Amino acid sequence: MIFAVYLVLSSLVLGVQLFLYQTQRIQFVEVNDTAKMHCSSTENLEGGGLKVFWYLRREGETLTCIKRCSDDQNVSKFACKHETHSSTLEISNVQKTESGIYYCAYKYSSYLIFGNGSTLIVGDSYTNSSWVMLLVPFPHGSQVNETANLACVIHGVSSPVHVSWSVSGELQEQGLTRSLKAKDGSLTLINHISVPIDTWTSGKNFTCEVKFNSSGTSVKKSTRYLLASSTAPARECSHYIVPLAAGAGLLLLLVSLSLVWTLCPSTLGFQPRISAPPASEEHQGGILYAHLDFDSRNRNGRTMQRSARGKSTKP
């Protein structure tokens, strides 16, 4: 994307109508084979090999010039072939370390005009730790910006892979890829696209397809927006609300009755239980005397007092 902006700005400043196109967006090549990268121009490439350059950007690295077509040295590895409106870079005995994105460039005055790039994948990028995961936006978070961002995460690959997106079978433009390089040299690639929120919520199928090599089966991950998925947790929780509320109400009722029973038993029609009065004690001559009072009622309801008193004895 940076190169496209640079291309537009340089064309506007210089008033040049020359554009470079690399129609072969992806190329799979086996190790030790020959790769051919094509670049076409809208105008005559004056000077041919004198003004054409080829750049390589490996994953996690900066752009590097690998071939000046005016330089005939190291022809056995990199070779330039020109026509009036095109230039071709041939890479013989290609290796996995030469995987990446190749850009053709044309020097106009003191400026460089770049092509849109071609991805070269050498050998098989798949490893034992490779996996693919599809990330989708939060059900309500994407509505803020009126766009939905989907990401395809490819973990544990040894070199670039080819990622394509389709919506209900219709091929979309390639997403933007960012890469992270681990200590062991493996790569984690994140390819994401942005679509209007109306497209995302339309219920269409979004598919991310990843190709690791030329002959292997691709890996596909698909998803779609489901309104029911965002409301399912709330519906599941609603099944537990009624029993929980009933249990809480019953517990509150039992606690209230316990408090009333303890503090105000008479309000429930019961008389409080009064313990018998304690026995009086007095000491006389080292012997303990106890005065025990008993309450008794006769049949007429009159109270009769009985007392028992111990007699003092002298030792």
Side-chain angles (χ1 to χ4, degrees):
M1 186 174 182
I2 297 176
F3 304 110
V5 174
Y6 180 78
L7 170 62
V8 173
L9 290 178
S10 60
S11 298
L12 292 176
V13 172
L14 301 173
V16 179
Q17 299 298 322
L18 187 147
F19 292 93
L20 300 178
Y21 296 97
Q22 296 174 247
T23 56
Q24 193 177 17
R25 300 300 302 273
I26 180 72
Q27 182 179 172
F28 292 95
V29 179
E30 297 298 329
V31 177
N32 297 327
D33 284 353
T34 299
K36 297 181 180 182
M37 318 300 291
H38 302 284
C39 178
S40 300
S41 171
T42 56
E43 300 293 334
N44 185 8
L45 295 178
E46 298 179 1
L50 299 177
K51 298 184 178 181
V52 176
F53 300 81
W54 284 91
Y55 286 78
L56 169 62
R57 183 171 68 86
R58 296 184 179 91
E59 291 294 340
E61 299 182 6
T62 58
L63 195 67
T64 304
C65 181
I66 60 169
K67 180 63 177 177
R68 293 179 174 88
C69 290
S70 59
D71 186 3
D72 293 332
Q73 295 182 359
N74 197 21
V75 177
S76 60
K77 184 65 178 178
F78 299 99
C80 293
K81 294 185 177 181
H82 303 284
E83 294 182 4
T84 305
H85 293 280
S86 66
S87 177
T88 301
L89 175 68
E90 291 187 359
I91 310 173
S92 59
N93 193 29
V94 68
Q95 301 299 312
K96 292 193 68 173
T97 56
E98 292 165 338
S99 297
I101 305 177
Y102 287 78
Y103 297 91
C104 61
Y106 180 80
K107 186 177 181 181
Y108 182 88
S109 184
S110 58
Y111 296 88
L112 285 175
I113 301 175
F114 286 89
N116 54 332
S118 298
T119 301
L120 176 65
I121 298 177
V122 182
D124 192 354
S125 301
Y126 191 87
T127 66
N128 293 331
S129 60
S130 297
W131 50 259
V132 179
M133 180 174 60
L134 187 59
L135 302 179
V136 299
F138 189 74
H140 304 292
S142 58
Q143 298 180 3
V144 177
N145 298 324
E146 297 183 352
T147 59
N149 296 311
L150 293 86
C152 194
V153 181
I154 307 97
H155 173 78
V157 293
S158 60
S159 55
V161 298
H162 180 246
V163 182
S164 60
W165 291 86
S166 62
V167 179
S168 294
E170 297 182 2
L171 191 64
Q172 303 295 304
E173 294 184 0
Q174 290 185 340
L176 298 177
T177 301
R178 297 182 181 180
S179 62
L180 300 173
K181 194 170 185 178
K183 293 182 179 179
D184 60 356
S186 63
L187 298 172
T188 296
L189 309 176
I190 303 175
N191 186 284
H192 73 276
I193 60 171
S194 297
V195 297
I197 187 63
D198 294 339
T199 304
W200 166 241
T201 57
S202 62
K204 296 181 178 180
N205 289 322
F206 288 78
T207 302
C208 168
E209 182 177 0
V210 180
K211 292 183 179 180
F212 297 89
N213 51 48
S214 57
S215 57
T217 304
S218 61
V219 176
K220 294 182 180 180
K221 296 292 182 178
S222 299
T223 186
R224 64 173 177 167
Y225 177 84
L226 294 175
L227 182 60
S229 63
S230 60
T231 58
R235 291 181 179 178
E236 292 177 1
C237 293
S238 63
H239 294 293
Y240 301 96
I241 292 177
V242 174
L244 287 176
L250 181 60
L251 180 61
L252 181 60
L253 178 60
L254 292 176
V255 173
S256 301
L257 290 176
S258 300
L259 292 175
V260 173
W261 177 279
T262 303
L263 300 178
C264 305
S266 59
T267 59
L268 297 177
F270 299 97
Q271 294 295 331
R273 181 179 180 181
I274 302 176
S275 60
S280 61
E281 299 177 354
E282 61 178 86
H283 293 273
Q284 296 182 1
I287 297 178
L288 176 62
Y289 281 80
H291 300 278
L292 303 178
D293 296 329
F294 298 93
D295 292 338
S296 61
R297 298 180 183 271
N298 58 10
R299 295 179 181 179
N300 297 328
R302 292 178 300 177
T303 303
M304 298 179 62
Q305 299 289 336
R306 293 182 181 180
S307 63
R309 179 181 298 272
K311 293 184 180 180
S312 175
T313 60
K314 293 183 181 180

